[in-house]
Protein backbone atom coordinates (compact mmCIF):
# COMPACT_ATOMS: atom_id res chain seq x y z
CA UNK A 1 0.00 0.00 0.00
CA UNK A 2 2.90 2.36 -0.62
CA UNK A 3 1.56 5.58 -2.04
CA UNK A 4 4.91 7.30 -2.34
CA UNK A 5 4.75 7.13 -6.12
CA UNK A 6 1.97 9.69 -6.14
CA UNK A 7 3.12 13.26 -6.12
CA UNK A 8 1.27 16.31 -4.94
CA UNK A 9 1.28 19.42 -7.12
CA UNK A 10 3.75 22.00 -5.94
CA UNK A 11 2.41 25.53 -6.19
CA UNK A 12 5.24 28.00 -5.86
CA UNK A 13 4.54 31.25 -4.03
CA UNK A 14 5.16 33.49 -7.10
CA UNK A 15 2.73 31.42 -9.15
CA UNK A 16 0.21 31.55 -6.34
CA UNK A 17 0.64 35.30 -5.92
CA UNK A 18 0.37 35.84 -9.66
CA UNK A 19 -2.78 33.78 -9.97
CA UNK A 20 -4.31 35.45 -6.97
CA UNK A 21 -3.50 38.92 -8.39
CA UNK A 22 -4.85 37.92 -11.79
CA UNK A 23 -8.00 36.61 -10.13
CA UNK A 24 -8.28 39.81 -8.10
CA UNK A 25 -7.99 42.03 -11.20
CA UNK A 26 -10.42 39.87 -13.10
CA UNK A 27 -12.88 39.87 -10.22
CA UNK A 28 -12.49 43.65 -9.78
CA UNK A 29 -13.68 44.22 -13.35
CA UNK A 30 -16.31 41.53 -13.04
CA UNK A 31 -17.62 43.02 -9.83
CA UNK A 32 -17.63 46.61 -11.14
CA UNK A 33 -19.54 45.54 -14.25
CA UNK A 34 -22.01 43.49 -12.23
CA UNK A 35 -21.98 45.64 -9.12
CA UNK A 36 -25.45 44.48 -8.09
CA UNK A 37 -24.73 40.75 -8.08
CA UNK A 38 -21.93 39.84 -5.68
CA UNK A 39 -20.36 36.51 -6.59
CA UNK A 40 -19.18 34.16 -3.90
CA UNK A 41 -18.65 31.20 -6.17
CA UNK A 42 -15.03 30.02 -6.42
CA UNK A 43 -13.60 29.97 -9.96
CA UNK A 44 -13.03 26.50 -11.35
CA UNK A 45 -9.63 25.30 -10.28
CA UNK A 46 -7.65 22.28 -11.42
CA UNK A 47 -7.83 19.51 -8.87
CA UNK A 48 -5.21 16.91 -8.09
CA UNK A 49 -5.25 13.96 -5.76
CA UNK A 50 -3.80 15.80 -2.85
CA UNK A 51 -3.65 19.56 -3.32
CA UNK A 52 -6.34 22.00 -4.30
CA UNK A 53 -6.27 25.76 -4.43
CA UNK A 54 -9.43 27.70 -3.82
CA UNK A 55 -9.81 31.44 -4.23
CA UNK A 56 -12.72 32.78 -2.25
CA UNK A 57 -14.09 36.31 -2.48
CA UNK A 58 -14.89 37.78 0.87
CA UNK A 59 -16.05 41.38 0.91
CA UNK A 60 -14.06 42.34 -2.19
CA UNK A 61 -10.75 40.71 -1.16
CA UNK A 62 -9.49 37.49 -2.63
CA UNK A 63 -8.26 34.92 -0.18
CA UNK A 64 -6.22 32.04 -1.53
CA UNK A 65 -6.30 28.81 0.36
CA UNK A 66 -4.20 25.78 -0.33
CA UNK A 67 -5.97 22.72 1.00
CA UNK A 68 -3.64 19.76 1.40
CA UNK A 69 -5.43 16.44 1.39
CA UNK A 70 -2.29 14.32 1.63
CA UNK A 71 -1.87 12.34 4.84
CA UNK A 72 1.30 10.31 4.31
CA UNK A 73 4.66 11.86 3.53
CA UNK A 74 5.60 12.43 -0.11
CA UNK A 75 8.87 11.54 -1.79
CA UNK A 76 9.57 15.29 -1.86
CA UNK A 77 9.11 15.47 1.91
CA UNK A 78 11.68 12.74 2.41
CA UNK A 79 14.14 14.36 -0.01
CA UNK A 80 13.64 17.68 1.76
CA UNK A 81 14.45 16.34 5.20
CA UNK A 82 17.46 14.39 3.91
CA UNK A 83 18.71 17.62 2.32
CA UNK A 84 18.30 19.44 5.62
CA UNK A 85 20.39 16.81 7.41
CA UNK A 86 23.05 16.95 4.68
CA UNK A 87 23.10 20.76 4.49
CA UNK A 88 23.58 21.00 8.25
CA UNK A 89 26.32 18.36 8.21
CA UNK A 90 24.52 16.18 10.76
CA UNK A 91 25.70 12.76 11.94
CA UNK A 92 24.63 10.65 14.92
CA UNK A 93 26.82 11.28 17.96
CA UNK A 94 27.10 9.61 21.35
CA UNK A 95 24.55 11.14 23.70
CA UNK A 96 26.94 12.01 26.53
CA UNK A 97 27.40 14.94 28.90
CA UNK A 98 28.45 18.03 26.96
CA UNK A 99 28.20 21.78 27.30
CA UNK A 100 24.70 22.62 28.54
CA UNK A 101 23.37 19.11 27.81
CA UNK A 102 23.02 16.44 30.48
CA UNK A 103 21.23 13.38 29.05
CA UNK A 104 19.01 11.49 31.52
CA UNK A 105 17.14 8.21 31.38
CA UNK A 106 13.41 8.37 32.12
CA UNK A 107 14.09 6.99 35.60
CA UNK A 108 16.75 9.65 36.30
CA UNK A 109 14.51 12.39 34.93
CA UNK A 110 11.68 11.27 37.20
CA UNK A 111 14.02 11.28 40.19
CA UNK A 112 15.20 14.80 39.31
CA UNK A 113 11.63 15.94 38.86
CA UNK A 114 10.57 14.58 42.24
CA UNK A 115 13.63 15.94 44.05
CA UNK A 116 14.13 19.32 42.43
CA UNK A 117 10.91 20.05 40.53
CA UNK A 118 11.52 22.60 37.83
CA UNK A 119 14.36 25.08 38.23
CA UNK A 120 11.73 27.80 38.61
CA UNK A 121 8.88 26.64 40.76
CA UNK A 122 6.41 27.88 43.38
CA UNK A 123 7.03 27.22 47.07
CA UNK A 124 4.77 26.85 50.08
CA UNK A 125 1.12 27.81 49.77
CA UNK A 126 1.70 28.97 46.19
CA UNK A 127 2.83 25.47 45.15
CA UNK A 128 -0.69 24.13 44.76
CA UNK A 129 -2.66 26.87 43.07
CA UNK A 130 -0.71 27.73 39.92
CA UNK A 131 -0.98 24.44 38.03
CA UNK A 132 -4.37 23.96 36.40
CA UNK A 133 -3.92 20.29 35.53
CA UNK A 134 -1.21 18.70 37.69
CA UNK A 135 0.17 15.61 35.96
CA UNK A 136 1.86 12.65 37.70
CA UNK A 137 5.65 12.59 37.22
CA UNK A 138 5.63 9.13 35.61
CA UNK A 139 3.52 10.54 32.80
CA UNK A 140 5.58 13.72 32.51
CA UNK A 141 8.70 11.69 31.77
CA UNK A 142 6.66 9.63 29.28
CA UNK A 143 7.15 6.20 30.82
CA UNK A 144 3.94 5.18 29.04
CA UNK A 145 5.62 5.70 25.65
CA UNK A 146 7.53 2.51 26.36
CA UNK A 147 4.52 0.43 27.40
CA UNK A 148 4.35 -1.24 24.01
CA UNK A 149 6.77 -3.47 22.21
CA UNK A 150 7.00 -1.06 19.33
CA UNK A 151 8.33 2.50 19.14
CA UNK A 152 5.85 5.25 19.92
CA UNK A 153 6.46 6.75 16.47
CA UNK A 154 4.80 3.72 14.86
CA UNK A 155 1.43 5.17 15.82
CA UNK A 156 1.77 7.58 12.93
CA UNK A 157 2.30 4.73 10.46
CA UNK A 158 -0.91 3.07 11.60
CA UNK A 159 -2.85 6.32 11.25
CA UNK A 160 -1.53 7.04 7.76
CA UNK A 161 -2.34 3.55 6.53
CA UNK A 162 -5.85 3.43 8.02
CA UNK A 163 -6.83 6.99 7.10
CA UNK A 164 -5.73 6.63 3.47
CA UNK A 165 -7.12 3.11 3.05
CA UNK A 166 -10.55 4.14 4.30
CA UNK A 167 -10.53 7.46 2.38
CA UNK A 168 -11.06 9.41 5.56
CA UNK A 169 -11.94 13.10 5.70
CA UNK A 170 -12.02 15.39 8.72
CA UNK A 171 -15.77 14.88 8.79
CA UNK A 172 -15.52 11.09 9.18
CA UNK A 173 -16.43 9.23 12.36
CA UNK A 174 -13.91 6.77 13.77
CA UNK A 175 -14.10 4.15 16.53
CA UNK A 176 -10.98 2.53 17.95
CA UNK A 177 -11.33 -0.62 20.02
CA UNK A 178 -8.59 -0.41 22.64
CA UNK A 179 -6.83 2.94 22.09
CA UNK A 180 -4.43 2.52 25.04
CA UNK A 181 -2.39 5.67 25.59
CA UNK A 182 -3.45 7.13 22.21
CA UNK A 183 -0.26 6.20 20.37
CA UNK A 184 -2.41 5.93 17.23
CA UNK A 185 -5.52 7.75 18.40
CA UNK A 186 -3.76 11.11 18.83
CA UNK A 187 -3.24 11.35 15.10
CA UNK A 188 -6.91 10.64 14.39
CA UNK A 189 -8.03 13.10 17.06
CA UNK A 190 -5.84 15.84 15.57
CA UNK A 191 -7.10 15.13 12.06
CA UNK A 192 -10.83 14.67 12.74
CA UNK A 193 -13.43 17.25 13.76
CA UNK A 194 -14.29 17.58 17.46
CA UNK A 195 -16.21 14.62 18.93
CA UNK A 196 -15.60 12.48 15.84
CA UNK A 197 -13.14 10.10 17.50
CA UNK A 198 -14.53 7.42 19.81
CA UNK A 199 -12.69 4.77 21.76
CA UNK A 200 -13.34 1.95 24.21
CA UNK A 201 -10.39 1.15 26.51
CA UNK A 202 -10.19 -0.90 29.68
CA UNK A 203 -6.73 -0.08 31.08
CA UNK A 204 -6.97 2.63 33.73
CA UNK A 205 -3.34 3.75 33.64
CA UNK A 206 -3.50 4.10 29.86
CA UNK A 207 -6.62 6.24 30.17
CA UNK A 208 -4.90 8.44 32.75
CA UNK A 209 -1.98 8.90 30.37
CA UNK A 210 -4.42 9.80 27.61
CA UNK A 211 -6.45 12.34 29.62
CA UNK A 212 -3.80 13.77 31.94
CA UNK A 213 -0.84 13.92 29.59
CA UNK A 214 -1.38 13.20 25.89
CA UNK A 215 -4.48 15.25 25.15
CA UNK A 216 -3.42 18.38 27.09
CA UNK A 217 0.25 18.26 26.04
CA UNK A 218 -0.72 17.87 22.37
CA UNK A 219 -3.23 20.72 22.57
CA UNK A 220 -6.10 18.39 21.71
CA UNK A 221 -8.52 18.90 24.62
CA UNK A 222 -10.73 21.01 22.34
CA UNK A 223 -11.25 17.97 20.10
CA UNK A 224 -13.39 16.39 22.85
CA UNK A 225 -12.74 12.76 21.92
CA UNK A 226 -15.27 10.33 23.39
CA UNK A 227 -13.02 7.90 25.25
CA UNK A 228 -14.91 5.47 27.46
CA UNK A 229 -13.52 3.13 30.10
CA UNK A 230 -14.99 -0.28 29.58
CA UNK A 231 -14.42 -3.81 28.35
CA UNK A 232 -16.18 -6.89 27.01
CA UNK A 233 -17.06 -5.09 23.80
CA UNK A 234 -19.69 -3.00 25.58
CA UNK A 235 -20.41 -0.04 23.31
CA UNK A 236 -23.61 1.03 25.07
CA UNK A 237 -22.14 4.38 26.13
CA UNK A 238 -21.47 5.48 22.56
CA UNK A 239 -25.13 6.09 21.84
CA UNK A 240 -26.76 4.92 18.65
CA UNK A 241 -26.86 8.00 16.45
CA UNK A 242 -23.33 7.84 15.00
CA UNK A 243 -22.47 5.77 11.93
CA UNK A 244 -18.77 5.03 11.72
CA UNK A 245 -16.66 5.39 8.59
CA UNK A 246 -13.86 3.42 10.21
CA UNK A 247 -13.72 0.95 13.09
CA UNK A 248 -10.29 -0.47 13.90
CA UNK A 249 -8.55 -2.65 16.44
CA UNK A 250 -4.76 -2.53 16.58
CA UNK A 251 -3.27 -5.57 18.35
CA UNK A 252 -6.43 -6.08 20.41
CA UNK A 253 -8.46 -9.00 19.03
CA UNK A 254 -5.53 -11.41 19.38
CA UNK A 255 -5.64 -10.83 23.16
CA UNK A 256 -9.37 -11.56 23.40
CA UNK A 257 -11.38 -14.80 23.50
CA UNK A 258 -12.72 -15.51 19.98
CA UNK A 259 -16.27 -15.55 21.31
CA UNK A 260 -15.95 -11.99 22.56
CA UNK A 261 -14.60 -10.74 19.24
CA UNK A 262 -17.70 -12.15 17.52
CA UNK A 263 -19.96 -10.50 20.12
CA UNK A 264 -18.24 -7.20 19.35
CA UNK A 265 -18.60 -7.57 15.58
CA UNK A 266 -22.27 -8.43 15.98
CA UNK A 267 -22.82 -5.29 18.04
CA UNK A 268 -20.83 -3.05 15.72
CA UNK A 269 -21.97 -4.07 12.27
CA UNK A 270 -25.10 -1.92 12.44
CA UNK A 271 -22.92 1.05 13.45
CA UNK A 272 -20.69 0.83 10.37
CA UNK A 273 -21.65 2.72 7.20
CA UNK A 274 -22.83 0.13 4.66
CA UNK A 275 -20.39 -0.54 1.76
CA UNK A 276 -18.13 2.52 2.25
CA UNK A 277 -17.36 2.05 5.94
CA UNK A 278 -14.39 -0.15 6.85
CA UNK A 279 -13.33 -2.40 9.70
CA UNK A 280 -9.57 -2.95 10.01
CA UNK A 281 -8.02 -5.57 12.29
CA UNK A 282 -4.25 -5.88 12.76
CA UNK A 283 -1.84 -8.82 13.13
CA UNK A 284 -4.13 -11.82 12.46
CA UNK A 285 -7.77 -12.86 12.27
CA UNK A 286 -7.49 -16.16 14.13
CA UNK A 287 -10.90 -15.47 15.71
CA UNK A 288 -12.18 -16.24 12.22
CA UNK A 289 -9.63 -18.55 10.61
CA UNK A 290 -9.68 -20.91 13.63
CA UNK A 291 -13.28 -21.80 12.69
CA UNK A 292 -11.76 -23.62 9.74
CA UNK A 293 -12.73 -24.02 6.08
CA UNK A 294 -15.62 -21.91 4.88
CA UNK A 295 -16.97 -21.35 8.39
CA UNK A 296 -15.08 -18.05 8.71
CA UNK A 297 -16.63 -16.35 5.68
CA UNK A 298 -20.01 -18.01 6.35
CA UNK A 299 -20.13 -16.58 9.83
CA UNK A 300 -19.03 -13.16 8.62
CA UNK A 301 -21.67 -13.35 5.90
CA UNK A 302 -24.39 -14.12 8.40
CA UNK A 303 -23.50 -10.85 10.15
CA UNK A 304 -23.48 -8.96 6.86
CA UNK A 305 -19.70 -8.53 6.86
CA UNK A 306 -17.42 -9.20 3.92
CA UNK A 307 -13.66 -9.81 4.09
CA UNK A 308 -11.87 -7.65 1.51
CA UNK A 309 -8.25 -8.65 1.92
CA UNK A 310 -4.94 -8.49 3.69
CA UNK A 311 -2.56 -5.52 3.50
CA UNK A 312 0.90 -4.67 4.70
CA UNK A 313 2.13 -1.18 5.41
CA UNK A 314 5.77 -0.23 5.79
CA UNK A 315 6.90 1.92 8.68
CA UNK A 316 8.46 5.29 7.88
CA UNK A 317 11.13 5.23 10.57
CA UNK A 318 12.16 1.64 11.18
CA UNK A 319 12.36 -1.72 9.47
CA UNK A 320 8.89 -2.94 10.28
CA UNK A 321 5.55 -3.50 8.62
CA UNK A 322 2.02 -3.67 9.90
CA UNK A 323 -0.38 -6.39 8.76
CA UNK A 324 -4.01 -5.34 8.38
CA UNK A 325 -7.17 -7.25 7.49
CA UNK A 326 -9.92 -5.23 5.82
CA UNK A 327 -13.67 -5.80 6.10
CA UNK A 328 -16.78 -3.94 5.02
CA UNK A 329 -20.49 -4.12 5.66
CA UNK A 330 -22.00 -5.88 2.65
CA UNK A 331 -25.67 -5.25 3.40
CA UNK A 332 -27.49 -1.99 4.06
C1 LIG B 1 -2.51 30.87 46.12
O1 LIG B 1 -2.83 30.67 47.49
C2 LIG B 1 -2.20 31.61 48.35
C3 LIG B 1 -2.49 31.17 49.78
O2 LIG B 1 -3.84 30.85 49.96
C4 LIG B 1 -2.69 33.01 48.04
O3 LIG B 1 -2.05 33.97 48.88
C5 LIG B 1 -2.37 33.33 46.59
O4 LIG B 1 -2.91 34.59 46.23
C6 LIG B 1 -2.94 32.24 45.66
N1 LIG B 1 -2.47 32.50 44.30
C7 LIG B 1 -3.24 32.38 43.23
C8 LIG B 1 -2.59 32.61 41.90
O5 LIG B 1 -4.43 32.12 43.30
Amino acid sequence: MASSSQKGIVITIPVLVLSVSAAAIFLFFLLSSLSSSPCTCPPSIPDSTFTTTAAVVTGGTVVAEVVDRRISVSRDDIEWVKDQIRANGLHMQDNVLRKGINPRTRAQQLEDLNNFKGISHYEGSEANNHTALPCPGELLVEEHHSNYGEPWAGGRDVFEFLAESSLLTANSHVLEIGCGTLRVGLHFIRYLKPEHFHCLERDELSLMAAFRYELPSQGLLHKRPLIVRGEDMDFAKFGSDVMYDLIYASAVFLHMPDKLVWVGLERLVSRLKPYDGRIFVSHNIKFCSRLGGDECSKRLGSLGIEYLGKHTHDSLLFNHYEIWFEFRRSKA
Side-chain angles (χ1 to χ4, degrees):
M1 284 300 297
S3 56
S4 51
S5 57
Q6 290 158 305
K7 282 187 177 176
I9 288 183
V10 177
I11 300 169
T12 59
I13 294 298
V15 169
L16 192 62
V17 168
L18 271 178
S19 20
V20 168
S21 331
I25 292 163
F26 171 74
L27 282 163
F28 173 76
F29 285 108
L30 188 73
L31 286 178
S32 32
S33 62
L34 304 167
S35 52
S36 58
S37 63
C39 176
T40 49
C41 37
S44 74
I45 293 292
D47 197 353
S48 79
T49 321
F50 290 112
T51 312
T52 44
T53 311
V56 183
V57 185
T58 42
T61 54
V62 178
V63 182
E65 256 181 276
V66 175
V67 186
D68 194 358
R69 291 202 205 129
R70 177 184 275 282
I71 290 173
S72 59
V73 298
S74 66
R75 236 180 244 185
D76 284 350
D77 293 337
I78 291 173
E79 283 314 311
W80 174 82
V81 74
K82 285 183 172 172
D83 277 349
Q84 298 303 302
I85 293 166
R86 220 176 293 129
N88 283 292
L90 305 182
H91 302 91
M92 283 301 286
Q93 301 290 344
D94 289 338
N95 193 18
V96 293
L97 182 70
R98 53 205 183 276
K99 198 171 166 56
I101 298 174
N102 181 14
R104 319 295 279 154
T105 63
R106 282 189 172 132
Q108 290 168 330
Q109 195 191 2
L110 180 58
E111 206 182 310
D112 292 351
L113 188 68
N114 289 335
N115 291 339
F116 311 116
K117 306 182 184 68
I119 289 177
S120 308
H121 64 270
Y122 296 102
E123 298 278 9
S125 59
E126 292 284 329
N128 298 317
N129 59 1
H130 284 269
T131 307
L133 201 57
C135 182
E138 291 82 350
L139 299 180
L140 287 171
V141 302
E142 299 179 337
E143 279 183 356
H144 60 283
H145 284 195
S146 308
N147 276 5
Y148 306 88
E150 283 164 18
W152 182 259
R156 179 73 198 180
D157 299 315
V158 173
F159 163 72
E160 291 185 1
F161 168 74
L162 292 176
E164 288 191 339
S165 307
S166 48
L167 305 176
L168 234 58
T169 67
N171 207 27
S172 301
H173 290 266
V174 174
L175 171 69
E176 178 169 6
I177 303 165
C179 54
T181 52
L182 300 181
R183 189 175 75 108
V184 177
L186 276 182
H187 301 281
F188 279 100
I189 293 168
R190 190 180 294 115
Y191 177 77
L192 296 171
K193 285 188 176 164
E195 298 179 24
H196 283 213
F197 178 84
H198 294 180
C199 164
L200 180 71
E201 170 58 49
R202 70 172 182 185
D203 184 56
E204 186 175 2
L205 180 63
S206 297
L207 290 171
M208 281 297 269
F211 283 117
R212 300 209 71 143
Y213 181 78
E214 296 299 337
L215 292 174
S217 70
Q218 297 287 325
L220 293 173
L221 291 173
H222 70 285
K223 290 291 181 118
R224 301 291 195 272
L226 178 57
I227 301 171
V228 174
R229 182 184 182 184
E231 52 192 324
D232 295 338
M233 297 295 236
D234 176 7
F235 301 99
K237 288 185 181 154
F238 294 88
S240 54
D241 47 344
V242 176
M243 290 292 272
Y244 295 108
D245 298 273
L246 168 66
I247 296 173
Y248 69 96
S250 178
V252 169
F253 286 179
L254 63 166
H255 300 303
M256 262 184 204
D258 292 355
K259 233 182 183 170
L260 189 57
V261 176
W262 285 106
V263 167
L265 289 176
E266 197 172 344
R267 288 176 181 161
L268 287 173
V269 67
S270 62
R271 314 294 308 282
L272 183 67
K273 279 193 186 156
Y275 313 115
D276 292 339
R278 288 291 182 270
I279 294 175
F280 276 95
V281 176
S282 76
H283 291 74
N284 66 58
I285 45 170
K286 286 191 177 155
F287 70 91
C288 205
S289 52
R290 260 195 285 259
L291 294 173
D294 290 342
E295 279 310 303
C296 177
S297 42
K298 257 193 220 164
R299 182 129 186 218
L300 287 170
S302 71
L303 292 182
I305 296 173
E306 180 187 8
Y307 172 59
L308 294 177
K310 177 182 169 177
H311 308 268
T312 58
H313 181 250
D314 295 345
S315 174
L316 179 65
L317 297 182
F318 62 121
N319 180 6
H320 167 80
Y321 59 86
E322 300 275 332
I323 301 172
W324 287 96
F325 299 84
E326 180 181 14
F327 304 84
R328 70 168 181 169
R329 186 174 162 191
S330 51
K331 290 176 199 153

